[in-house]
């Protein structure tokens, strides 16, 4: 890592965060006052319909450190982060949520770790305030299951608040897969990885923008893009069901040879067994479908996002 590194880009993807953005900007400016590095703000508008973009646009007129990219519609948080990372010019790139759940005051800790020589610095949540018990439970379970079934050495409890050295950011920008799980990719690229701890605050204002469905899809993307375990499991499951039913047939045949016809054939049991196996088959096909859908999207190879306007220099 170069010791003359001077600029840190702060990438802020946002969707309708007009109340939080000015406060985030103020607090981030303050956090950088104590640092020798310059800050570059890179706001990514992910299809906002409130006054967020107007505020960013206005602020960019008075502060040359403020850059923005306005996407042509809502492409999703992960695509917005990707856009930011691809166009950030800093020697290091910090990605942070716009809703102030990730406190900007933690940025100096990330920068300090970077200066120690770490090229990917994950901010790891010690506590999560203002989130429902169910969300915490799902998040806790997900990170642990994910860690078990993937080959990537993932950091648990780290969201999309992290710092990447320029080299690491360039490496991630090369990965153009469509169903992106950025925290997985940030671990997958390797380099020297480190982490700092922080307390996650409640959202500053407004509603959360990730619906339950979006969070679920993100979890599916994480698993489908980093693990073949579900495919392997259904392969084994199918094998076991075949083996067990064959054993059952042989047992019934022996029983029949010794004792003649069993009295009850058990129609209900049979009906349920059939339903169960049919359901199981559909579920397994569904799992394969999840992978196939992703293959389909990769083959189409559409751009990950489209830019409507920006104030970047022409070279970027
Ligand atoms: N976000 C975005 N596009 C989306 C959804 C969310 O840019 O389609 C932004 C949102 O404005 C926020 C960050 O992603 O800055 C995290 O979203 P949210 O706070 O809703 O997620 P949570 O913290 O609940 O996981
Ligand atoms: Mg949030």
């Amino acid at each position: 890592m170069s010791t003359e590194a001077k600029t840190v880009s702060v990438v802020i993807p946002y969707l309708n965060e007009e109340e939080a953005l000015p406060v985030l900007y103020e607090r981030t400016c303050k956090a950088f006052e104590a640092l020798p590095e310059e800050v570059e703000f890179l706001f990514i508008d992910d299809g906002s319909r409130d006054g967020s973009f107007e505020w960013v646009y206005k602020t960019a007129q008075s502060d040359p450190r403020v850059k923005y990219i306005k996407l042509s519609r809502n492409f999703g948080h992960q695509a917005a982060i990707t856009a930011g990372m691809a166009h950030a010019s800093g020697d290091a790139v910090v990605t942070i949520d716009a809703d102030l759940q990730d406190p900007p005051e933690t940025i100096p800790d990330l920068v300090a770790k970077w200066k120690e020589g770490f090229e990917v610095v994950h901010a790891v949540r010690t506590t999560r305030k203002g989130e429902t018990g169910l969300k915490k439970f799902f998040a806790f379970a997900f990170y642990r299951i994910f860690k078990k079934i993937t080959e990537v050495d993932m950091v648990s409890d780290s969201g999309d608040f992290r710092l990447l050295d320029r080299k690491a950011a360039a490496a991630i920008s090369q990965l153009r897969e469509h169903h992106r799980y950025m925290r997985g990719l940030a671990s997958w690229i390797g380099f020297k990885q480190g982490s700092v701890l922080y307390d996650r605050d409640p959202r500053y204002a407004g509603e959360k923008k990730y619906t339950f469905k979006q969070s679920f899809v993100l979890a599916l993307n994480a698993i489908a893009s980093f693990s073949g375990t579900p495919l392997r499991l259904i392969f084994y499951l199918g094998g076991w069901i075949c083996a067990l039913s064959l054993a059952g047939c042989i047992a019934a045949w022996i029983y029949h040879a010794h004792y003649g016809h069993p009295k009850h054939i058990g129609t209900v049991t049979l009906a349920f067994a059939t339903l169960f196996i049919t359901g199981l088959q559909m579920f397994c096909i569904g799992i394969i479908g999840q992978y196939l859908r992703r293959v389909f999207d990769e083959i189409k190879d559409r751009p990950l996002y489209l830019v409507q306007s920006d104030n970047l220099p022409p070279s970027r």
Side-chain angles (χ1 to χ4, degrees), residues 15 17 46 74 98-99 101 135 200 203 208-210:
L15 170 64
E17 303 283 5
D46 189 22
N74 177 256
D99 61 356
Q101 281 201 273
K135 159 121 195 205
R200 189 154 162 93
R203 154 179 273 287
K208 66 194 259 76
K209 306 301 176 316
Y210 259 97

Side-chain angles (χ1 to χ4, degrees), residues 23-316:
V23 185
L24 173 69
Y25 171 70
E26 288 297 325
R27 280 174 56 181
T28 309
C29 287
K30 233 194 173 86
F32 270 89
E33 275 169 18
L35 289 175
E37 284 77 17
E38 295 282 328
V39 58
E40 172 196 61
F41 288 91
L42 183 48
F43 288 94
I44 315 294
D45 186 282
D46 189 22
S48 296
R49 288 170 186 279
D50 65 353
S52 308
F53 180 69
E54 282 64 34
W55 178 84
V56 170
Y57 186 80
K58 215 175 75 223
T59 311
Q61 308 304 309
S62 56
D63 184 348
R65 301 172 304 173
V66 174
K67 301 279 182 284
Y68 64 81
I69 297 175
K70 181 171 166 52
L71 302 183
S72 63
R73 63 167 169 85
N74 177 256
F75 280 90
H77 184 211
Q78 305 290 301
I81 297 179
T82 307
M85 231 169 244
H87 296 282
S89 68
D91 299 286
V93 183
V94 171
T95 49
I96 188 168
D97 281 1
D99 61 356
L100 289 163
Q101 281 201 273
D102 307 328
E105 292 74 21
T106 305
I107 295 177
D109 298 344
L110 296 173
V111 172
K113 199 86 184 167
W114 171 54
K115 286 183 182 159
E116 281 174 33
F118 290 91
E119 289 151 322
V120 180
V121 188
H122 304 270
V124 174
R125 309 176 266 241
T126 45
T127 58
R128 289 164 165 261
K129 293 179 208 141
E131 287 182 347
T132 62
L134 202 63
K135 159 121 195 205
K136 284 187 201 165
F137 169 75
F138 276 126
F140 180 86
F142 168 74
Y143 283 116
R144 269 115 205 120
I145 293 172
F146 186 77
K147 217 178 156 89
K148 274 237 142 35
I149 65 172
T150 51
E151 297 85 37
V152 187
D153 189 15
M154 270 277 297
V155 183
S156 293
D157 304 315
S158 100
D160 284 309
F161 185 20
R162 76 179 72 81
L163 178 146
L164 296 173
D165 180 76
R166 183 204 279 281
K167 267 186 290 178
I172 280 206
S173 299
Q174 274 177 33
L175 310 174
R176 302 308 284 175
E177 61 194 68
H178 287 71
H179 294 265
R180 301 174 81 74
Y181 183 59
M182 294 303 281
R183 36 202 109 154
L185 297 179
S187 298
W188 182 87
I189 54 167
F191 294 96
K192 193 165 180 214
Q193 306 244 340
S195 52
V196 300
L197 299 176
Y198 79 110
D199 292 322
R200 189 154 162 93
D201 290 333
R203 154 179 273 287
Y204 176 76
E207 292 287 300
K208 66 194 259 76
K209 306 301 176 316
Y210 259 97
T211 58
F212 180 76
K213 191 174 159 213
Q214 277 175 314
S215 300
F216 185 72
V217 170
L218 188 66
L220 269 186
N221 282 342
I223 292 171
S225 32
F226 284 97
S227 171
T229 304
L231 291 175
R232 211 162 37 240
L233 279 183
I234 59 180
F235 173 75
Y236 289 132
L237 186 70
W240 273 108
I241 291 177
C242 285
L244 286 177
S245 43
L246 198 66
C249 267
I250 294 170
W253 185 79
I254 294 171
Y255 186 90
H256 174 75
H258 279 271
Y259 305 105
H261 276 295
K263 271 204 189 96
H264 260 312
I265 205 72
T267 322
V268 177
T269 321
L270 201 64
F272 276 113
T274 314
L275 271 180
F276 174 74
I277 293 297
T278 314
L280 194 66
Q281 276 176 342
M282 285 171 79
F283 178 68
C284 293
I285 292 172
I287 291 180
I288 298 171
Q290 289 294 331
Y291 285 88
L292 200 61
R293 158 88 204 277
R294 284 161 177 79
V295 173
F296 178 56
D297 286 343
E298 294 305 331
I299 285 177
K300 281 189 293 187
D301 198 25
R302 290 188 182 150
L304 301 176
Y305 52 84
L306 292 169
V307 175
Q308 184 170 328
S309 62
D310 65 62
N311 68 342
L312 301 172
S315 55
R316 284 157 69 190

